[in-house]
Each structure stands twice: as structure tokens, then as C-alpha cells.
Amino acid sequence: MPRLPKWMNDAVETLLASKFLEVKVVAISYPAPAVKKVRFEGYCEAMHYYIGYAVAFRVNALDYRNYTPVMVDDDTFDIVFHLHGKGPGSLFASRLEVGQAIRMLMPRGRKMFRPAAAHFVFGDETSLGLFQAIRQEAGIRQQAFAGLLELDGDNRDAAAMLQLPYIAKENPAAMAAALDTHFAKGAVAGESMYYLTGNARSIQACRKLLRERGVDNGRILTQPYWVEGKRGL
Ligand SMILES: Cc1cc2nc3c(=O)[nH]c(=O)nc-3n(C[C@H](O)[C@H](O)[C@H](O)COP(=O)(O)OP(=O)(O)OC[C@H]3O[C@@H](n4cnc5c(N)ncnc54)[C@H](O)[C@@H]3O)c2cc1C
């Protein structure tokens, strides 16, 4: 999101007050060393939620950052934050504490769930919320769910949480092998939707490998969550 002067961010929050919701942190856990899962409570009925939508927090005077809510029930949702340590969003997330009240920009963005017999998600630590949301929805619809995570070594426990395979980052050979395993297990390219999120460069690599394995462009949805060297997508 664009960096704005403090006075302008203050004005936006006042003028567009109905687009903001106050939420409270009610629980925190760490599925992996640099992965923080935060449960929020608020008047969620006011939100127009769809899988793939992101909320935004004002992480300092000048910046907002996007994060993916996963609905738990009518009043509660989780966000899984990657504490990568390189920006104000990561610092903001690392400082969240139980009992804290925060204003949040309502969910909006790209819908990331399409009708299909099966759903496959690719992403990294930033995508863990989307993995959960799509798995939850596929389960409700009794549709197949699969996925592939790319993780920093220390965060491999996050893959166990989702019971999904993972590969190390920046490893195209491992990505190709994992996709071959996915298809060898019987996945049919023409039946599944493929949702690629996380690092923009990895999304490109994954899309290319899927295309080489016969997946139609129309079955691939992409949403970059971050780009190396770029602030705040
Ligand atoms: C629709 C959408 C949904 C998202 N959902 C989530 C979510 O649920 N959980 C989540 O953790 N993130 C999520 N993100 C990603 C998050 O908004 C970005 O990672 C954001 O850049 C973090 O802001 P920052 O201030 O920490 O770093 P920035 O100030 O934006 O960036 C500083 C530096 O850190 C690098 N960087 C940014 N993110 C990462 C990363 N993950 N790993 C390594 N380097 C990084 C940048 O390339 C830059 O060089 C989402 C993004 C979008 C667009």
C-alpha cells in the first residue's frame, strides 16, 4: 500500500471511519519460530469477507500493511503473521499482545476461491492463512485440497500444522519434484484450481512449472504478497 503522510492517514481514518473496525487480540500462539498466529475478536458481521480478501493495519504513522484473515466464527478470526524482521509490518506483528485493541481496514481485494473439484495452494509463511481458509472451504464442500509450502528451514513446523509437503526457498528443482509428486499421486491438471501466493518470484517459477505440466492458464490464480526489495504490496 502507498506510504502517505501522517496527516493524510489520519484524515483517511476519520473520513472513511465506516471502512475501519476495532478488533481486540484475544490469543497468540507461535506455530513456528518466525510465525505468529493471532486471534482477534470484533464485530465481524460488519465485514464483507471472501476467501483471499485482506485486511490492513496501520503499522506506523505512515504505512499500512495487508494481512489475510481466516474466519473462525461470527466474531472471531485468525491472522498468521510472518515475522521476517525486515519491515514495520513485521515489527508491528511481533509486538501484538493479548488484550490490545487495534483499528483495522475492512477486508477487500482479490477473491481466491473458484468452483472446482479440487484446490491446490502454493505459498510461503505469508500464505499460511490463505492455506487454512481454502482448506476449510474445500472441506465444507467435500472437495479435494492439496498444497505446497516453501519455508525457511526454522519454520518447517508450520508445514506440519497444515500436514502439507514443504520445500526450501529458492529451490526450483525441489519445486519441480514436489509438483511431479503431486501429479504422480493422481491429481488431474484439468480438475483443480491452482492458487499461487507469497513471494512474486516463486509464484512465477511455480506458474511456469505448472504450465509445463499441462495446467491451463485459466486454472491458475496468482496474488503476490511480497517482492524482494519492495515495501508494502
Ligand atoms: C493480499 C495480501 C495478503 C497478505 N497476507 C499476509 C498474511 O496473512 N501474513 C503475512 O505475514 N503477510 C501477508 N502479506 C504480506 C505482507 O503484507 C508483506 O510481507 C509486507 O511486505 C510486510 O510488510 P513489512 O512492513 O514487514 O515489510 P516491508 O516494509 O513491506 O518490506 C521490507 C523488506 O522486507 C521484504 N519482505 C517483505 N515481506 C517479506 C517476507 N514475508 N519474507 C522476507 N522478506 C520480506 C521486502 O521485500 C522488503 O525488502 C499479504 C500481502 C498481500 C498483498
Side-chain angles (χ1 to χ4, degrees), residues 74-139:
D74 288 348
D75 303 318
T76 319
F77 61 92
D78 291 335
I79 291 182
V80 185
F81 293 94
H82 182 205
L83 307 181
H84 58 87
K86 295 185 209 157
S90 176
L91 183 64
F92 163 86
S94 70
R95 289 179 171 164
L96 286 174
E97 287 178 359
V98 171
Q100 198 175 334
I102 317 158
R103 292 187 86 203
M104 156 191 113
L105 188 58
M106 298 270 207
R108 75 273 181 263
R110 178 149 209 220
K111 295 181 176 178
M112 292 292 277
F113 193 90
R114 299 283 162 89
H119 305 271
F120 179 97
V121 186
F122 169 80
D124 60 17
E125 289 90 343
T126 61
S127 320
L128 290 166
L130 186 75
F131 273 91
Q132 288 189 337
I134 292 182
R135 182 170 72 173
Q136 208 166 283
E137 187 64 24

Side-chain angles (χ1 to χ4, degrees), residues 1 10 40 45 56-57 62 65 70 73 77 91 98 106 110 117 148 165 170 174 182 196 204-205 219-220 223 229-230:
M1 297 180 76
D10 292 345
F40 295 90
E45 270 178 47
F57 294 103
L62 311 179
R65 292 291 184 263
V70 187
D73 59 38
F77 61 92
L91 183 64
V98 171
M106 298 270 207
R110 178 149 209 220
L148 176 63
E170 307 285 337
H182 167 68
L196 316 184
Q204 266 183 342
R219 292 195 161 271
I220 304 176
Q223 170 83 75
K230 197 168 173 195

